[in-house]
Amino acid sequence: MKTSLKIRAAANALNLSTATGLLLAALTGTRVARGPDGLFIGSSYTPRLPLAGAFTVGNVVLCRGGPGALEQHPGLLAHESGHASQYAWCLGLPFLPLYGACAAWSLWRTGDPGSRNFFERNAGLERGGYRELPTVDRGPAVRNFLQRLSFFRQHRTAAADTPPAAPTTEGNHP
Ligand SMILES: [Zn+2]
């Protein structure tokens, strides 16, 4: 195994992301075996979430296919291996919120959580089963929102500046 992969395995052991992946596998009854490049492969993962054929936690790749299925898709395995490296760079579990933020950004820009997601692009879009999608122009929607916000602010300020109406004495005369 390459030195860089040994360092990755050690980093993900120390930052507890691999332990988290193994715990998730144990809790979900997913069978885990040793895979290439210091990875663990969990097969026949059954819970509904996440909505992915395969995903990675630390050095543990969990997939829905049976034993040996992931090894038959070397591109996808390489993609998931890329995510294992990203866990090491993110010092472990901080990967998850960072990934979530990038997925939200991609969803906003393209309507797809992967296409403009830094982590998916870095691991290889195509190998992960994602497509490069055109970005959606959100400018008009943002401008419209800001205009509405400014309208409501002005409206509220104007309402606050108006002095309260003087009490009327009309109708009190005998
Ligand atoms: Zn991916």
Side-chain angles (χ1 to χ4, degrees), residues 79 86 114-125 132:
H79 175 91
Q86 291 165 356
S115 188
R116 292 282 159 169
N117 181 331
F118 166 79
F119 292 100
E120 294 301 352
R121 295 177 76 85
N122 179 259
L125 268 191
E132 174 97 44

Side-chain angles (χ1 to χ4, degrees), residues 29-117:
T30 305
R31 195 193 315 176
V32 175
R34 285 201 169 270
D37 298 339
L39 296 171
F40 294 93
I41 311 285
S43 49
S44 306
Y45 177 83
T46 53
R48 279 189 177 187
L49 294 175
L51 299 173
F55 68 101
T56 300
V57 183
N59 261 40
V60 184
V61 182
L62 297 155
C63 72
R64 297 188 182 280
L70 191 59
E71 287 86 338
Q72 289 171 13
H73 297 89
L76 180 58
L77 184 57
H79 175 91
E80 297 303 329
S81 180
H83 285 318
S85 301
Q86 291 165 356
Y87 271 92
W89 285 114
C90 293
L91 307 177
L93 298 179
F95 169 87
L96 294 171
L98 291 170
Y99 181 93
C102 288
W105 167 253
S106 176
L107 202 57
W108 164 257
R109 295 299 289 131
T110 65
D112 174 83
S115 188
R116 292 282 159 169
N117 181 331

Side-chain angles (χ1 to χ4, degrees), residues 13-30:
L14 281 172
N15 66 36
L16 300 180
S17 58
T18 296
T20 305
L22 291 173
L23 180 66
L24 179 62
L27 290 174
T28 56
T30 305

